[in-house]
Amino acid sequence: MARALLVVDVQNDFTEGGALAVSGGEALAKRITAFLGRHAEEYDLIVASRDWHHGDDDNGGHFAGVEGPDFVTSWPVHCVAGTPGADFHPDFDTRTVDVQVFKGQGKPDYSAFQATTDDGLPLHEVLGAHHVTEVEVIGMATDHCVRASALDALAAGYAVEVIDDLVAGVDAERSALALAEVREAGGHISSSDMDEGLANPGGAVL
């Protein structure tokens, strides 16, 4: 009976100045670091996911062609493996992260449960090896990869909680719908004990 924290895609290309910037991404990176400073020891495992795309193909249609991105199933080039855009944001202190998993790698992945470690171990097997039954999800973006990761965790049988002031979304309305969808699927939406005077980044509100 172990509890894991899943930190989704706190990467340069998803923060201000990146190829697919989420408003409030930089503030979120700082907030997550502060949260980990308070609570990292309370988790049995901390996992951080990264988008990790090929730079020499369209990653199964994930990268838009000459027609341009539709921002639904096709996107501008982002988080190419080994480039600065794929790096964790410098304000996200990864010293408490136990495992990194990488998603994409030629495919249009959104969920961290489609990701693998450097040696090819899927996230579900990583969690199983640590006897994880509960997963808390934070990171970016609420309406895309956080949503997909939380729903896949529920489908895999984990107890799931999304911490709503530790996520940032592209669109406030879609983010609210995503959190409602997680709740309707059996997940829980909670808030951290961080300073309530700080704004919830990215407009990911209920």
Side-chain angles (χ1 to χ4, degrees):
M1 300 289 290
R3 182 169 63 137
L5 180 69
L6 175 58
V7 186
V8 178
D9 301 357
V10 184
Q11 296 170 262
N12 287 328
D13 267 346
F14 297 133
T15 57
E16 287 82 352
L20 276 175
V22 174
S23 178
E26 181 177 341
L28 179 65
K30 294 176 181 177
R31 191 175 178 87
I32 288 173
T33 291
F35 177 81
L36 290 171
R38 293 185 185 184
H39 297 290
E41 293 184 357
E42 299 170 14
Y43 295 95
D44 300 286
L45 184 71
I46 298 177
V47 180
S49 71
R50 296 167 78 177
D51 257 16
W52 200 250
H53 297 303
H54 293 169
D56 56 358
D57 62 49
D58 69 357
N59 291 269
H62 193 62
F63 287 174
V66 293
E67 70 282 0
D70 62 16
F71 296 97
V72 177
T73 61
S74 63
W75 308 90
V77 174
H78 63 278
C79 295
V80 171
T83 67
D87 288 343
F88 289 121
H89 191 279
D91 289 326
F92 171 34
D93 186 343
T94 61
R95 286 178 293 179
T96 59
V97 171
D98 300 301
V99 178
Q100 293 184 35
V101 292
F102 302 85
K103 60 188 174 68
Q105 304 186 78
K107 306 186 303 300
D109 293 343
Y110 294 89
S111 169
F113 282 82
Q114 297 170 293
T116 61
T117 62
D118 264 336
D119 55 2
L121 195 65
L123 175 58
H124 187 50
E125 293 186 22
V126 174
L127 298 178
H130 290 83
H131 310 290
V132 169
T133 58
E134 302 176 19
V135 178
E136 295 182 14
V137 185
I138 62 178
M140 296 186 288
T142 314
D143 39 347
H144 295 285
C145 296
V146 167
R147 170 190 172 275
S149 299
L151 292 175
D152 276 359
L154 286 164
Y158 297 98
V160 175
E161 185 172 324
V162 177
I163 305 177
D164 67 354
D165 60 318
L166 295 176
V167 293
V170 175
D171 177 84
E173 182 176 354
R174 287 200 308 266
S175 294
L177 290 172
L179 294 177
E181 187 178 0
V182 171
R183 184 190 293 109
E184 290 166 6
H188 296 278
I189 309 300
S190 67
S191 298
S192 76
D193 62 352
M194 302 297 290
D195 183 357
E196 295 297 328
L198 293 176
N200 183 16
V205 296
L206 292 175

